[in-house]
Amino acid sequence: MTVNMERLRALLLRVEKPSRYTGGEFGAPDLKESAFNFCICFPDLYEVGMSNLGIKIVAQSLLNRGHCADYCFTPYKDFGAGLKEAGVPLYSLGLKKPLNEFDMLGFSMQFELSYTNMLYMLDLAGIPLTREARKGGNWPVIAVGGPCAVNPEPLADFVDIVFVGDGESVDADVADVYLKHGGATKEFYEEISRLDGVYVPALEHKVKKAIIADLDGAVFPDGFAVPNCESVHDRAVIEVMRGCYRGCRFCQAGFIYRPVRQRSVKTLTGQACSLIANTGYDEVSLNSLSTGDYPDLRGLLKSLKENLPENVTLALPSLRVDSFAGEFAQNARRISLTFAPEAGSQRLRDVINKDITEDEILKAAESAFDTGYSSVKLYFMLGLPTETDEDVEGIGRICALIKGCYKRKKRQKPLRISVSCSTFIPKPFTPFQWEAQVDETEIVRRQQLLVKSPHMKGVILSWSDDFTAKLEAVLARGDRRLGKVLLYAYENGCIFDGWSRELNKEGWLSAFERAGISADEYTRARDENEVLPWDFIDIGVSKKFFLEERRKAYAGEVTGSCLASCKGCGMQKVCPAAGGVK
Amino acid sequence: MIAFRYTKTDGAEYLSHLDLMRHIDRTMRRAGIKTAFTEGFSPHPKIYMNNPLGLGIRSVAEYCSVESAFDGDFKTLFNAHSPRGIKCLGFIVTEENPNYAYTIESCTYTVEGLDFDARDLLDRDELVITDKRGRTADIRRRIYGLEHEDGKLRFTLGCGQNNLRPDLFCEIIESMYGGKAENLLKIAAHGKFTF
């Protein structure tokens, strides 16, 4: 069955941005049903999900093997309510097929605060939320992947399969096994549970992260579906590297995407050119966790400049600015420079292994001001382990120094500094996975310390909501018992929890209470001997390494980049930088 | 300068004006049809659209002009690279910029489900409506023509200076005579440069 869009016309005319729900994007593959029909579900709005590269890669890998890979995004409340009212189930954008008619739904979990949106999508599709309730029925297999899958326990009650690690081939492998067994049989689950990168919560087994050895030869789409309405990152994206050499101790991505793998200048140039030709975008973003560490960045930029049509600009996120990048930035019409010192003092930056000095920040700001920038964005975290008031005040100090530097340039245009202070969230698979999250009252006090600092005068300051940060921390290090809380929170109407204007704090508090679970139990410090809910997943980096890094953090010792020398994180055998792969 | 007439149907009627503009720009880029750019800090392509069509209204008479030296088969090339529902129906090459947002004076639409005595409306000297903000306006002089044809209502409304939104017009008719407007379609635009 397909949903008749004509029947939805009155609804579409009533809601905000109806083109979120109509599909038919230019460049979207012409889908046909196949023996295995997969729908990628993104637990956020169309314009957020359409910017995600991971789901495009997963879809391409399935399409390459002859499977059907469709898309669906979380409808905003207006459309969701309208569907319910009209008795129309949530449908995929390509085939307009109700989600419950697919063989498998794959949810891409990018962050913890989108968990309830997954439940919302299942609910709108008329699919029972829990595995228990689906038992024996003819429902799609519910799978999750993405960074949150490294601790899938809070979702364990709801999902049948968890994909851990790189999604380039394992998703399609599972599809093949499904077809071999003629559906989601007991044998199917047993067989896939033996694959690297597949966790079947019902079987409670150990699992090893899936790793693709050759990123250069890995699946990559040569065109994107161009979103109907403007997406949050509406541009072509190439993935320069996966993983990060730096090992900042708070950063989950820096550990779970190890080892660092790169694509060659030739491959990247080819991918950028075909994306631009096929999408009509005028901007290419060079994505990775630290694009500045790409060994031949100069060569890559040169090759892209030479081969891309003129009028196509390059976007370099999270770049460490040195002289040549400054010179490059000049013709890339960037107006704002972004730094992420993360902590206000050198002492605390050493604790978190953030290898950047005040001097470097100021030098980079100075060269940026010289090339015409007049706007600086700074990212910090509050509540990092060992943080004192002095460290918090250090944030103001950096701002004052930058202001002084700009003043000396005697520029006409006023300087614009924006500072964003998010609350530190201890995440699984980091050296800080045992740390307590600083409680809400204390975080608010530190935020106020900053707000009242004389150095912050004229600085645009933003910070994270204390309850949102706590909720994220609870879910990030959660266990299976939190399934109840999620379910109750959803029943209380909690969705789009990551949006400040949608956050329903009362709904969450009453869900915790009803489940008889204290949130504080999850934000507390963990004992090093404690069995952690995510211990059964082998991410590749050893626990011994995390413990050693934690010890060094407290000693204020910097580990530094893997490029300087191998730090022995446990991935030496598969890490190109460590010489583990030829 | 290339001026072309195109559709906004098959789902494209749900695109906002700004998004539509982006899609036309990207279609040109994909098709390799080079457009001229504005000067300055953030150059943007010289694409000139007609006035925005209300969200959800279908049309086979949208007009757009682009500054380009391209002299090939614009229609075929454009349609090979345009999104579903945004299809070129015809084009002209012109020296003068038709600037449709300023030169289109009226548009003709058809709609189903509004069955009433057209004479009754046309015979009125004035038709005063009150908008949501409480302002009143006489819209009679913005209604240029009205007739029933093959079970549809075909009507022409002012555009630009004398503008009247077709969906608003349908609502007014519904409130006066009853009925339920369906399948509103813009079928023609009238101005010095339309074709």
Side-chain angles (χ1 to χ4, degrees), chain B residues 148-160:
Chain B
H148 286 283
E149 197 185 84
D150 307 329
K152 287 180 190 170
L153 177 70
R154 180 189 166 101
F155 58 101
T156 302
L157 304 176
C159 186

Side-chain angles (χ1 to χ4, degrees), chain A residues 220-224 235-239 264-286 300-310 312-314, chain B residues 29-32 81:
Chain A
F220 199 81
D222 54 9
F224 294 165
R235 56 181 88 106
V237 178
I238 51 174
E239 188 193 19
S264 66
V265 170
K266 188 168 168 249
T267 303
L268 290 167
T269 307
Q271 290 174 346
C273 289
S274 59
L275 283 179
I276 287 297
N278 292 329
T279 59
Y281 278 128
D282 58 359
E283 189 174 12
V284 180
S285 174
L286 277 57
L300 176 60
L301 295 178
K302 189 167 170 278
S303 168
L304 289 173
K305 280 263 154 200
E306 281 169 7
N307 290 287
L308 287 168
E310 39 170 358
V312 171
T313 53
L314 302 179
Chain B
R29 288 169 182 277
R30 292 189 290 258
H81 294 92

Side-chain angles (χ1 to χ4, degrees), chain A residues 5-6 9 12-13 15 17-19 22-24 26 96 226-230 234 276-282 310-312 333-335, chain B residues 11 13-16 18-20 22-23 25-27 29-31 34-35 37 41-43 55-58 80-84 183-184:
Chain A
M5 294 306 284
E6 212 42 45
R9 190 164 157 78
L12 287 167
L13 291 178
V15 300
K17 297 194 190 174
S19 62
T22 55
F26 182 87
K96 309 283 185 303
V226 181
N228 289 337
C229 56
E230 192 179 19
D234 215 357
I276 287 297
N278 292 329
T279 59
Y281 278 128
D282 58 359
E310 39 170 358
N311 281 325
V312 171
R333 73 192 167 103
R334 298 276 122 202
I335 46 163
Chain B
E13 67 268 29
Y14 297 112
L15 297 175
S16 72
L18 210 65
D19 286 325
L20 178 66
R22 276 188 207 107
H23 285 297
D25 174 30
R26 285 174 190 157
T27 299
R29 288 169 182 277
R30 292 189 290 258
K34 285 206 168 120
T35 51
F37 277 76
F41 183 65
S42 82
L55 205 65
I57 301 170
R58 295 174 179 132
H81 294 92
S82 68
R84 194 184 61 178
N183 291 329
L184 177 60

Side-chain angles (χ1 to χ4, degrees), chain B residues 34-149:
Chain B
K34 285 206 168 120
T35 51
F37 277 76
T38 59
E39 304 285 316
F41 183 65
S42 82
H44 53 273
K46 291 188 172 173
I47 296 176
Y48 309 89
M49 320 264 289
N50 62 205
N51 279 329
L53 186 66
L55 205 65
I57 301 170
R58 295 174 179 132
S59 171
V60 290
E62 294 306 290
Y63 286 87
C64 177
S65 56
V66 292
E67 200 169 309
S68 172
F70 179 78
D71 64 354
D73 182 358
F74 178 84
K75 183 178 161 182
T76 309
L77 199 57
F78 182 91
N79 288 348
H81 294 92
S82 68
R84 194 184 61 178
I86 303 174
K87 294 296 163 196
C88 176
L89 299 171
F91 71 99
I92 52 169
V93 176
T94 142
E95 282 291 305
E96 194 182 348
N97 183 0
N99 229 331
Y100 290 109
Y102 300 98
T103 58
I104 291 178
E105 287 163 354
S106 64
C107 300
T108 302
Y109 309 85
T110 59
V111 70
E112 291 161 31
L114 296 180
D115 200 15
F116 66 102
D117 181 7
R119 237 13 299 154
D120 179 72
L121 187 83
L122 291 172
D123 285 347
R124 290 173 188 239
D125 290 331
E126 57 168 35
L127 183 59
V128 178
I129 58 151
T130 311
D131 73 5
K132 282 173 192 145
R133 281 198 268 167
R135 296 173 304 184
T136 56
D138 177 14
I139 58 160
R140 174 61 191 88
R141 60 186 181 83
R142 302 182 186 206
I143 302 167
Y144 293 11
L146 197 61
E147 59 184 327
H148 286 283
E149 197 185 84

Side-chain angles (χ1 to χ4, degrees), chain A residues 508-527:
Chain A
W508 276 103
L509 290 177
S510 96
F512 276 106
E513 201 179 311
R514 189 174 154 204
I517 286 174
S518 155
D520 296 334
E521 199 190 313
Y522 292 88
T523 50
R524 74 188 157 88
R526 311 287 169 102
D527 191 90

Side-chain angles (χ1 to χ4, degrees), chain A residues 414-444:
Chain A
L415 169 69
R416 188 187 153 95
I417 307 182
S418 355
V419 168
S420 153
C421 285
S422 47
T423 301
F424 166 66
I425 291 159
K427 294 255 169 152
F429 298 112
T430 65
F432 292 157
Q433 64 179 353
W434 295 277
E435 300 299 326
Q437 186 183 41
V438 174
D439 76 57
E440 293 154 276
T441 352
E442 174 58 17
I443 278 294
V444 171

